[in-house]
Amino acid sequence: MSEKFKFEPTAPEQLATHYDILVIGSGGAGLASALQATELGAQVAIFEKMPRLGGNTTRASSGMNAAETEVQLQHHVVDSFDDFYAETLNGGGGRNDPALLQYFTTHGALAINWLAQHQIHLDDLTITGGMSRQRTHRPSSMAPVGGYLITGLLKALAAKQVPIFASAQVTALAGDATGVTGVTVTLAGQQRQVKAGAVILATGGFGANAQLIAKYRPELEAYQTTNQPGATGDGLALAQAVTAGTVDLDQIQVHPTVQQDTDHAYLIGEAVRGEGAILVDQQGQRFVNELDTRKNVTAAIEALPEKSAYLIFDQSVFKRVKALAFYQQIGLVTQAADLNALAATIQVSAATLAATVATWNQNVAAQNDPQWQRTTGLDRQLTQAPFMAIHIAPAIHYTMGGLKIDPQTQVQTTAGHVIPGLFAAGEVTGGLHGDNRIGGNSVAETVIFGRQAGQQAWLFQQKSKQ
């Protein structure tokens, strides 16, 4: 798949007045649902309110979780749906919707295969916090998964000539609780009514909407966000206007490792820790199991006096995470020829940092971390110069809450009734993740439930034609 591929949005004058299915949002869930529905024979159009396509998915860096995959077996990893379910349930504090979680954990392998059929090969593995084994799939180039996925899906959609309209703001859904039949969209300065057999909401979360964050979690109001500016919760408002119900809106995830010393907050993906990086405090000491759940690692960082920490890694880790080259290029990585020089630069005790790394290397050799009980990501010692550090602190990352859906991705009313013709997938929905999302599950959710939304929306509009 060519990395030089560039998708050109469809010209506004090509907008028709009716489509079988309308998809709102061009992140992973929206593109996957549109491609799946198109493959089933539906006439589909995509509306994206931002001038740039891809949504928050373009910022995903670690990978896509799935269990019982051929890729895992090729890497000698034996996994099970049951373990995937249990670990995600545990990571979510037991608050995950059981039906959504069951569908999710048993359909990841099929989604990996479906992507491969479109030359989107996630054939390398890493691990994220809260998981017991490697089930985070990524490209063998180790490139950030988000951009790779979006590029591949856009290429497949371009080949099928699916129209994607950028800077297209959907302002209302046509219909009510008895059924949704289209949308009102503003495109090129004109308001248009477009009818559809079904509508799929894939508008993402509200992590960039300070007002909603303050409403549901006022203590997080001052936090920075890793979200792209378009993640403002539009889909929630659209669906609530037709009586859609919501779930878990106060469950907002703070990601533990975000570089915030520049004008822009950059999420440092979990794969960095999964490949062997450690976290140290301002004294140069480890203070947490780096691959505990995001909720627990965040709490450990916020308990420090500085409420920040340093990721420490070496050249061997650097080579295993391609995103680190980008972080280095934009000045987020502090680098030194040896640990003493690194300690001096980041102003921690050289003796303490050296002792911490030496203990870590012993733990890797023994495959045992007696102090912090880390059991995963013990694959490589930190011995290869240059040595590097990234200063991190927690920031708002993901909204676990959203629209209430069933496993068929049908949006439900506040009373629990299905709204005919309205489907949703991705971060705009709630219930799957409980009170904490596991790293690698968001990309998986977009593809797994994006495909499901495409299938079910196609099935609905087919039945409606009969």
Side-chain angles (χ1 to χ4, degrees):
M1 182 170 60
S2 172
E3 294 300 322
K4 295 180 180 178
F5 172 77
K6 188 176 188 323
F7 190 93
E8 293 296 336
T10 307
E13 57 268 22
Q14 294 185 35
L15 179 64
T17 58
H18 182 274
Y19 294 90
D20 292 332
I21 298 171
L22 287 174
V23 176
I24 308 174
S26 71
L31 299 186
S33 65
L35 181 57
Q36 180 67 88
T38 299
E39 290 177 335
L40 288 168
Q43 294 297 311
V44 181
I46 302 171
F47 292 135
E48 168 57 57
K49 74 171 183 179
M50 303 297 285
R52 181 181 177 186
L53 306 179
N56 266 349
T57 306
T58 60
R59 298 192 174 193
S61 59
S62 293
M64 171 180 165
N65 288 343
E68 296 193 27
T69 69
E70 291 297 324
V71 173
Q72 286 180 308
L73 293 178
Q74 290 163 9
H75 287 78
H76 301 164
V77 175
V78 177
D79 201 357
S80 75
F81 295 151
D82 288 345
D83 286 348
F84 190 14
Y85 183 103
E87 289 166 20
T88 303
L89 184 66
N90 181 63
R95 293 185 52 159
N96 317 62
D97 181 293
L100 293 179
L101 185 56
Q102 181 69 26
Y103 187 88
F104 173 75
T105 52
T106 57
H107 284 74
L110 290 171
I112 293 289
N113 293 342
W114 181 76
L115 291 175
Q117 291 169 10
H118 296 90
Q119 307 308 309
I120 304 170
H121 297 286
L122 303 181
D123 46 7
D124 188 58
L125 294 174
T126 188
I127 195 165
T128 59
M131 298 282 99
S132 66
R133 55 182 64 88
Q134 290 184 320
R135 60 172 66 105
T136 307
H137 296 63
R138 62 181 181 176
S140 56
S141 66
M142 291 173 278
V145 69
Y148 178 81
L149 175 65
I150 293 297
T151 297
L153 291 173
L154 285 174
K155 188 172 184 180
L157 288 163
K160 294 186 175 297
Q161 298 183 315
V162 175
I164 303 181
F165 298 94
S167 300
Q169 178 76 56
V170 174
T171 56
L173 298 176
D176 52 29
T178 64
V180 169
T181 57
V183 306
T184 300
V185 60
T186 300
L187 180 63
Q190 292 188 327
Q191 190 175 89
R192 303 275 295 274
Q193 310 296 321
V194 184
K195 295 184 180 298
V199 174
I200 298 173
L201 291 172
T203 51
F206 58 92
N209 188 325
Q211 288 182 319
L212 285 182
I213 296 292
K215 176 181 178 180
Y216 295 112
R217 291 286 297 279
E219 75 275 18
L220 300 179
E221 186 175 7
Y223 277 56
Q224 291 198 49
T225 182
T226 66
N227 287 231
Q228 57 94 16
T232 54
D234 299 33
L236 296 178
L238 290 170
Q240 285 174 311
V242 293
T243 74
T246 60
V247 60
D248 294 341
L249 290 180
D250 62 335
Q251 297 303 316
I252 298 170
Q253 182 172 75
V254 175
H255 195 286
T257 56
V258 180
Q259 208 285 346
Q260 303 175 46
D261 300 332
T262 58
D263 292 338
H264 179 84
Y266 288 92
L267 183 145
I268 310 302
E270 214 148 320
V272 178
R273 285 171 280 147
E275 293 297 335
I278 60 174
L279 280 166
V280 303
D281 60 19
Q282 197 59 53
Q283 283 68 51
Q285 298 176 327
R286 287 179 69 208
F287 58 92
V288 69
N289 170 1
E290 293 87 353
L291 288 176
D292 202 338
T293 62
R294 290 175 173 178
K295 185 176 183 178
N296 290 343
V297 177
T298 293
I301 296 171
E302 292 187 331
L304 299 173
E306 303 81 10
K307 300 188 183 301
S308 65
Y310 286 97
L311 276 165
I312 304 295
F313 52 98
D314 70 347
Q315 184 64 20
S316 69
V317 175
F318 185 88
K319 290 188 295 186
R320 290 287 300 168
V321 186
K322 283 293 180 65
L324 286 171
F326 170 70
Y327 302 147
Q328 184 181 59
Q329 180 184 350
I330 61 176
L332 307 185
V333 179
T334 300
Q335 179 175 306
D338 55 46
L339 283 174
N340 284 341
L342 183 65
T345 304
I346 64 174
Q347 298 183 321
V348 305
S349 164
T352 302
L353 182 61
T356 297
V357 172
T359 299
W360 167 255
N361 291 341
Q362 292 169 6
N363 293 347
V364 172
Q367 289 294 288
N368 181 37
D369 179 22
Q371 185 174 12
W372 299 108
Q373 291 78 51
R374 177 166 163 175
T375 58
T376 56
L378 290 162
D379 299 320
R380 50 189 55 84
Q381 297 179 330
L382 303 179
T383 59
Q384 295 183 23
F387 294 90
M388 289 161 261
I390 300 177
H391 187 226
I392 57 85
I396 290 168
H397 179 51
Y398 194 87
T399 49
M400 275 83 68
L403 298 175
K404 184 171 178 54
I405 62 167
D406 61 19
Q408 287 72 47
T409 69
Q410 300 173 110
V411 177
Q412 299 180 339
T413 67
T414 52
H417 304 302
V418 167
I419 301 175
L422 185 60
F423 301 82
E427 196 178 349
V428 71
T429 67
L432 174 63
H433 304 292
D435 66 8
N436 173 72
R437 180 175 65 76
I438 296 292
N441 277 357
S442 62
V443 173
E445 178 185 20
T446 66
V447 182
I448 293 167
F449 284 105
R451 290 190 70 205
Q452 174 73 316
Q455 294 170 34
Q456 297 302 321
W458 174 81
L459 189 60
F460 174 83
Q461 59 89 33
Q462 285 291 108
K463 290 180 178 177
S464 299
K465 290 178 179 178
Q466 296 174 358

